[in-house]
Amino acid sequence: MTELLIVFVVNDNVQLMDIAGPADVFAEANTLHGRPVYRSVIAAPQKSIRSSCGFALEADYRLQELNTLSIDTLLVAGAPDAAHSLPAPEFIQWLSDTAPNTRRFGSICGGVFSLAATGLLNNRKITAHWADVDLVRQRFPTITVNADSIVEEDGPVRTAAGVSSGLDLALALVREDLGEKIARDVARQLILFYKRPGGQRQYSRQRELSPAGRSALQSLQRQIMEHPSATYSVDVMAEIMQLERRQLTRLFTQETGLSPAQWVEQTRLAIARSLLEAGRSPLKVVAADSGFGFVRTLRRAFQRHLGITPIEYRKRFGHSR
């Protein structure tokens, strides 16, 4: 196999782990394969850049110097402020011209904003950090965003949701190129999940706990949040609001983007997550206090929305004592 050139495209304030983590995966793959397969380099508009953690970096190439090289994989690294500080038009133009000439290209975390600005992600399915999903959808409506996936593949495009997801992306690329065994061995050596359990929704903040919409609806939402174990069928909620079922459903959809039943379930899920994170109450108590009633109902909701069980969630995010 010819040595594959992996180019990490960066700008000032780059998140260091976006490049260091995946580069270590490729380096370990070289070691386990027994000869160099990957050559990882950093490319930037200028030679000297500074990372978001303060480290000074020296780019291997200026962007224009890469025009004579054969790039196998081009990955745009992100920055903490990537959503609100797009690079210069020349940077976007270089990406637009260069990425289509590679075997595959993509982004890590906030790098998705620069790549999306080129138009190369239009009509593609990607992933983005959970906190950026709404903004990506708003700013680039022709892009389909999978809000839960850690890594997404669509044709030549590869995207990673968050900073540590760059490791998952690199493992996926190694698996594509060198097969399951090498990829698994890399994961073992670096003590990584070969396939991370669950999606990224398990890491998201619980925004569903915030009442939304007009004041009368917020009053109902607060009542549900304060007494989640009460009965909240559509008929009960319509009676509380003194509305017809159809009116209540339309109001919830307009103001929250969810049906009444969906809003209740997501709120109960957020409460259950908080209970699991904060204490060690038995699951039957968590199920009762969050409004799910039964452990099996709680478990089904966690599997459906987060891709993991309540016990796994507590192990991962619960408070250690």
Side-chain angles (χ1 to χ4, degrees), residues 41 58 68 224 252:
V41 301
E58 191 79 7
T68 60
I224 296 169
F252 259 96

Side-chain angles (χ1 to χ4, degrees), residues 39 54 58 67 80 114 123 135 174 196 223 257 277 280 306:
R39 178 184 171 220
E58 191 79 7
N67 294 339
S114 293
N123 303 311
L135 187 56
V174 170
R196 199 189 303 226
Q223 180 176 336
E277 291 168 10
R280 303 193 61 82
L306 306 181

Side-chain angles (χ1 to χ4, degrees), residues 131-150:
D132 293 330
V133 167
D134 290 343
L135 187 56
V136 172
R137 287 172 173 164
Q138 174 187 337
R139 198 177 290 176
F140 308 103
T142 64
I143 297 175
T144 300
V145 185
N146 185 335
D148 191 42
S149 63
I150 302 292

Side-chain angles (χ1 to χ4, degrees), residues 35 47 94 100 109 201 219 241-242 245 284:
R35 65 179 182 83
K47 272 285 190 178
W94 183 88
C109 198
R201 283 198 182 101
S219 177
M241 292 281 292
Q242 296 184 341
R245 287 174 55 99
K284 63 181 181 180

Side-chain angles (χ1 to χ4, degrees), residues 45 179 187-188:
R188 290 190 183 102

Side-chain angles (χ1 to χ4, degrees), residues 43-305:
Q46 63 280 343
K47 272 285 190 178
S48 297
I49 55 175
R50 189 165 291 277
S51 69
S52 61
C53 66
F55 290 164
L57 298 176
E58 191 79 7
D60 297 288
Y61 295 94
R62 291 187 178 89
L63 297 181
Q64 292 72 19
E65 295 171 346
L66 286 169
N67 294 339
T68 60
L69 300 180
S70 177
I71 302 172
D72 179 82
T73 304
L74 185 152
L75 298 173
V76 185
D81 59 349
H84 306 289
S85 59
L86 281 179
E90 297 80 20
F91 182 89
I92 302 299
Q93 187 61 54
W94 183 88
L95 284 179
S96 300
D97 296 339
T98 307
N101 296 318
T102 65
R103 180 165 67 104
R104 58 197 175 192
F105 61 90
S107 59
I108 300 169
C109 198
V112 70
F113 288 98
S114 293
L115 194 57
T118 67
L120 295 173
L121 301 184
N122 290 351
N123 303 311
R124 296 282 188 185
K125 186 178 182 181
I126 68 160
T127 190
H129 190 283
W130 60 264
D132 293 330
V133 167
D134 290 343
L135 187 56
V136 172
R137 287 172 173 164
Q138 174 187 337
R139 198 177 290 176
F140 308 103
T142 64
I143 297 175
T144 300
V145 185
N146 185 335
D148 191 42
S149 63
I150 302 292
V151 172
E152 196 67 45
E153 172 186 346
D154 186 349
V157 176
R158 309 287 188 275
T159 48
V163 175
S164 68
S165 305
L167 295 161
D168 301 85
L169 174 58
L171 273 178
L173 298 181
V174 170
R175 183 167 57 247
E176 285 182 35
D177 300 334
L178 302 178
E180 294 273 349
K181 184 181 184 308
I182 293 290
R184 286 186 186 278
D185 287 345
V186 169
R188 290 190 183 102
Q189 188 64 29
L190 298 180
I191 314 181
L192 302 173
F193 280 118
Y194 179 65
K195 183 178 181 183
R196 199 189 303 226
Q200 65 163 325
R201 283 198 182 101
Q202 62 187 291
Y203 301 96
S204 64
R205 293 194 188 99
Q206 299 163 10
R207 293 175 296 168
E208 58 270 20
L209 278 178
S210 300
R214 60 190 66 179
S215 58
L217 182 59
Q218 289 191 26
S219 177
L220 171 62
Q221 291 169 333
R222 289 192 181 91
Q223 180 176 336
I224 296 169
M225 289 160 54
E226 292 168 5
H227 307 284
S229 58
T231 299
Y232 295 108
S233 65
V234 176
D235 287 332
V236 167
M237 288 188 283
E239 184 177 347
I240 293 172
M241 292 281 292
Q242 296 184 341
L243 296 173
E244 294 182 358
R245 287 174 55 99
R246 187 181 302 173
Q247 292 175 313
L248 178 76
T249 300
R250 187 185 306 118
L251 180 61
F252 259 96
T253 302
Q254 289 174 345
E255 301 291 345
T256 71
L258 301 170
S259 71
Q262 288 171 331
W263 195 93
V264 170
E265 183 176 57
Q266 289 200 15
T267 298
R268 284 172 169 164
L269 183 68
I271 293 170
R273 289 171 67 176
S274 294
L275 292 172
L276 290 169
E277 291 168 10
R280 303 193 61 82
S281 300
L283 286 188
K284 63 181 181 180
V285 174
V286 172
D289 289 350
S290 60
F292 285 105
F294 301 99
V295 172
R296 63 178 179 273
T297 309
L298 174 71
R299 188 180 296 115
R300 282 199 296 266
F302 266 72
Q303 291 280 18
R304 184 168 59 253
H305 292 283

